[in-house]
Amino acid sequence: MTIRAMESSRTVDSGGGRRQATRQKLYEAAVTLIAEQGFSATTVDEIAERAGVAKGTVYYNFASKSVLFEELLRHGVGLLTASLREAVEKTDEEGGSRVDALDAMIRAGLVFIGRYPAFTQLYVAELWRTNRAWQSTLLVVRQQAVAVVEDVLRDGIANGELSDEIDTPLTAAALVGMVLVAALDWQAFQPQRSLDDIHAALSLLLQGRVGGGRLGPR
Amino acid sequence: MTIRAMESSRTVDSGGGRRQATRQKLYEAAVTLIAEQGFSATTVDEIAERAGVAKGTVYYNFASKSVLFEELLRHGVGLLTASLREAVEKTDEEGGSRVDALDAMIRAGLVFIGRYPAFTQLYVAELWRTNRAWQSTLLVVRQQAVAVVEDVLRDGIANGELSDEIDTPLTAAALVGMVLVAALDWQAFQPQRSLDDIHAALSLLLQGRVGGGRLGPR
DNA sequence: AGTTTTGAACTGACTGGTCAGTGCAAAAGC
DNA sequence: GCTTTTGCACTGACCAGTCAGTTCAAAACT
């Protein structure tokens, strides 16, 4: 008969169920609005209204608007890196190559963006801004995500599977960018296409089979 | 070196050096501030001050804050596409391959981003936002830039130089994303590295020579 | 058992400040 | 003699953050 019993729906409610549920609602409301309008253009009143909660509740749960945003960033990137790492692990279990691992990460990235398009939008929009309050949070959070890709690249170079001419950090950034931009374009301009379709196109690019199925010059 | 060349719209040059100069100053002030803080967080007073101009002048030259921003977008993307097209033309004159043309565009893109980092930042931050006043402007402006890349890809497929398995629009978007994100990362996190360095790393990726100099699986 | 107390969670009206945009007369170019 | 710029006062809307008060389930008490 207790109300708490029914509130433990989906979130891994560690500790108090009610508070956690409220925060979750606020995250979901904030991520959509900020993705659409940007941080500054989104008002706390809007967030509260969308979450079906009073404005005071926002400030009861988060110290300020920007703290809410920072925690939202950490939350989201946590989900992303977990998903990327899982993809790599699964490849490892199946004894796949490092290129297979990269390919699996591309797919995981696409799945993530398909599930949380608003978060991705917001992340890209804020990542390269300078002089903002949450600058340091972004730096940490970016490093977390890119590091997973860098690790796979390094492993691949170590075992000779990938060329040692590769510039690891730069290539990792470029790969992330490739997936990010292709996926956002997919969502924004060709949403009817299937994930497999997008994945295949990016796979082709990754494996360098764009140049007519032959090696490039030099 | 004249500004007139790209201002192809209604406000034709017609001798007016003064007005154009003021607008240019406003563009430059606005692009930096908006890149750093975002559109909403940037005030018209700030823009005027940074441009060394009275607030009234802003409204004498532009109908509103968002109109200033829209024209800024058009202005900047005009410069970018001109630069990309020039790179392709130069390759054509030298009888280069389509892969060479793509490579030249990568370099042109990097040069552009190196010269106008703030504009690039701002462009990326706004491109995938939905429900904003300048949505339609962005769409047009995006298409202009991506179209140049798509044209080269299509030519390459037509003459057999590139695989016809390629998904032209998607690959174009992915390539643009690759350059965009790699370049922004370069600017933000490793600004000391040389353009040639970055270019080489992206070239490698474009030509598919990442996988140890051999073809990928499948 | 029933009654009272506690405190975490939540509410929403209110405040102090900010900012886009206006109006206009005088000055400065061209 | 036009166009353009300046300087500055003004307005009205909007918004982040506050705070005194409410709710209610569980704990404490009788």
Side-chain angles (χ1 to χ4, degrees):
Chain A
M1 235 316 180
T2 52
I3 299 171
R4 11 175 36 184
M6 63 165 211
E7 276 184 354
S8 58
S9 49
R10 37 206 294 264
T11 326
V12 223
D13 54 356
S14 47
R18 190 135 102 101
R19 190 126 197 253
Q20 213 60 24
T22 304
R23 291 172 91 104
Q24 183 65 31
K25 278 194 293 182
L26 284 170
Y27 282 153
E28 279 164 20
V31 80
T32 322
L33 289 166
I34 297 180
E36 280 175 2
Q37 308 175 324
F39 175 81
S40 306
T42 301
T43 70
V44 175
D45 287 281
E46 277 177 314
I47 297 174
E49 193 192 341
R50 165 88 66 121
V53 137
K55 187 178 191 176
T57 304
V58 177
Y59 285 92
Y60 182 76
N61 282 280
F62 300 95
S64 69
K65 186 184 169 186
S66 21
V67 167
L68 162 56
F69 182 59
E70 276 186 63
E71 298 199 7
L72 170 59
L73 277 176
R74 270 194 273 266
H75 181 82
V77 172
L79 291 177
L80 172 61
T81 53
S83 161
L84 291 182
R85 252 191 270 274
E86 194 194 348
V88 175
E89 275 167 29
K90 202 163 283 175
T91 311
D92 290 350
E93 284 164 17
E94 293 167 2
S97 70
R98 268 24 244 149
V99 172
D100 289 338
L102 286 174
D103 202 62
M105 287 176 80
I106 289 179
R107 172 165 279 266
L110 289 174
V111 169
F112 180 87
I113 296 171
R115 179 135 52 200
Y116 309 105
F119 178 80
T120 312
Q121 247 171 279
L122 166 168
Y123 179 72
V124 170
E126 296 293 337
L127 185 56
W128 296 282
R129 287 218 196 295
T130 47
N131 306 333
R132 301 226 78 174
W134 51 80
Q135 183 83 9
S136 55
T137 301
L138 273 173
L139 222 92
V140 171
V141 131
R142 177 203 100 96
Q143 199 46 43
Q144 270 178 27
V146 177
V148 188
V149 181
E150 288 183 0
D151 285 347
V152 174
L153 286 176
R154 259 192 293 272
D155 287 354
I157 295 169
N159 74 14
E161 191 186 332
L162 299 176
S163 160
D164 60 1
E165 292 176 84
I166 289 180
D167 182 319
T168 307
L170 229 156
T171 305
L175 287 174
V176 169
M178 187 184 93
V179 176
L180 225 49
V181 172
L184 285 172
D185 257 63
W186 163 39
Q187 294 287 321
F189 307 117
Q190 316 186 297
Q192 75 287 353
R193 303 186 56 172
S194 78
L195 195 147
D196 284 332
D197 213 12
I198 314 289
H199 183 204
L202 294 182
S203 247
L204 211 67
L205 198 53
L206 169 71
Q207 294 169 10
R209 280 162 52 235
V210 165
R214 58 164 180 76
L215 256 49
R218 149 79 166 294
Chain B
M1 201 49 161
T2 50
I3 305 154
R4 359 177 4 185
M6 34 122 299
E7 189 64 76
S8 55
S9 46
R10 58 215 128 97
T11 330
V12 203
D13 37 328
S14 69
R18 193 141 91 101
R19 191 130 196 244
Q20 289 305 328
T22 303
R23 291 171 90 104
Q24 183 65 31
K25 278 194 292 182
L26 284 170
Y27 283 153
E28 279 163 19
V31 81
T32 321
L33 289 166
I34 297 179
E36 281 175 3
Q37 309 174 325
F39 176 81
S40 306
T42 301
T43 70
V44 174
D45 288 279
E46 275 177 315
I47 297 174
E49 192 192 341
R50 165 87 66 122
V53 137
K55 186 179 185 177
T57 306
V58 177
Y59 284 93
Y60 183 77
N61 282 278
F62 299 96
S64 70
K65 187 185 169 186
S66 22
V67 167
L68 161 57
F69 182 60
E70 274 187 64
E71 298 200 6
L72 170 59
L73 277 176
R74 270 194 274 266
H75 179 82
V77 173
L79 290 177
L80 173 61
T81 52
S83 160
L84 291 181
R85 251 191 272 274
E86 194 194 349
V88 175
E89 276 167 28
K90 202 163 283 178
T91 311
D92 291 350
E93 284 165 16
E94 294 167 1
S97 70
R98 267 24 245 150
V99 172
D100 289 338
L102 287 175
D103 202 61
M105 287 177 80
I106 289 180
R107 172 165 279 267
L110 289 174
V111 169
F112 180 86
I113 296 172
R115 179 135 53 202
Y116 309 105
F119 178 80
T120 312
Q121 246 171 279
L122 167 167
Y123 179 71
V124 169
E126 294 294 335
L127 185 56
W128 297 282
R129 289 221 196 294
T130 47
N131 304 332
R132 302 225 77 175
W134 49 81
Q135 182 84 8
S136 56
T137 301
L138 274 173
L139 221 92
V140 172
V141 131
R142 178 202 101 97
Q143 199 46 42
Q144 270 177 26
V146 177
V148 188
V149 181
E150 288 183 0
D151 286 346
V152 174
L153 287 176
R154 260 192 293 272
D155 287 354
I157 295 170
N159 74 14
E161 192 186 332
L162 300 176
S163 159
D164 61 1
E165 292 176 84
I166 289 180
D167 183 318
T168 307
L170 229 156
T171 305
L175 287 174
V176 169
M178 187 184 94
V179 176
L180 225 48
V181 172
L184 286 172
D185 257 61
W186 163 38
Q187 296 285 322
F189 307 118
Q190 317 185 297
Q192 75 287 353
R193 302 187 57 172
S194 78
L195 194 148
D196 284 332
D197 213 13
I198 314 289
H199 183 205
L202 294 183
S203 247
L204 211 65
L205 198 53
L206 169 70
Q207 294 169 9
R209 280 160 54 234
V210 165
R214 57 166 181 76
L215 257 49
R218 147 87 162 293

